[in-house]
Amino acid sequence: MRKLAWAARGTAAVAGALLAGALVTPSALANDDPTPKDSQAAAADESKRCSVARDVSSTVVDYSGAGGLFETVFRAATDRQGRAFLNDSRNPGVWINLALLAGAPQCVSGTAVSVTEEDPGHLYITLLASNGVIRQAVCTTASGTPFTPANLPAACGAGFAPLAYTPVN
């Protein structure tokens, strides 16, 4: 009988430790985009059913030492289909589809932009995908060259990369 009681206490202790560990462990973390990479059909289905609220963000170069970049406004916005666009105030009326860049998410639910105040500097474009993964592109800015669909891919190099360990809900 003593052996049975000892075994029951040991099992209860192990179960309690597992439960405590499950409660203390942080929510799921992603170190990469969890969408299937080898399924073109899944990406097509995602773009068809993607419907999000519109989002907009902006940043401005407010350092007068940045030459031709001073007072340049960079804006990022999404449409209801989850596509993300970038506008450079030096090129009024031109909105560049960020899907031109490698690694851009299919269904964007949020945007953020920030810029360093140098010439050339860096524009950070951050997109929140509907699956919770945050992707960021770092683009080189230059005073005399506004962004266009033709030069944005070269300015942004490798394009979007997922931020490691993005919390996914």
Side-chain angles (χ1 to χ4, degrees):
M1 197 67 172
R2 281 188 183 181
K3 286 185 179 182
L4 187 56
W6 179 82
R9 279 194 308 252
T11 303
V14 169
L18 287 173
L19 179 58
L23 294 175
V24 174
T25 303
S27 62
L29 297 175
N31 63 359
D32 201 352
D33 190 343
T35 56
K37 292 180 179 31
D38 54 24
S39 174
Q40 296 296 331
D45 288 345
E46 176 73 17
S47 65
K48 287 180 187 174
R49 66 177 179 234
C50 178
S51 177
V52 296
R54 297 184 69 181
D55 183 65
V56 65
S57 60
S58 63
T59 188
V60 63
V61 178
D62 64 356
Y63 173 58
S64 61
L69 288 172
F70 180 61
E71 294 185 339
T72 299
V73 180
F74 296 103
R75 297 173 189 90
T78 62
D79 63 10
R80 286 191 169 87
Q81 288 76 43
R83 296 175 294 205
F85 300 89
L86 177 71
N87 171 256
D88 179 338
S89 66
R90 299 172 295 172
N91 199 358
V94 175
W95 286 86
I96 305 164
N97 188 340
L98 291 173
L100 290 172
L101 301 179
Q106 296 287 322
C107 186
V108 178
S109 62
T111 64
V113 288
S114 62
V115 64
T116 60
E117 297 179 335
E118 298 293 327
D119 184 12
H122 293 97
L123 173 67
Y124 293 84
I125 306 168
T126 307
L127 303 178
L128 173 63
S130 64
N131 62 8
V133 174
I134 299 172
R135 292 181 163 270
Q136 185 174 67
V138 180
C139 309
T140 302
T141 61
S143 64
T145 310
F147 289 129
T148 66
N151 68 15
L152 187 66
C156 298
F160 287 95
L163 292 179
Y165 306 109
T166 299
V168 177
N169 294 325

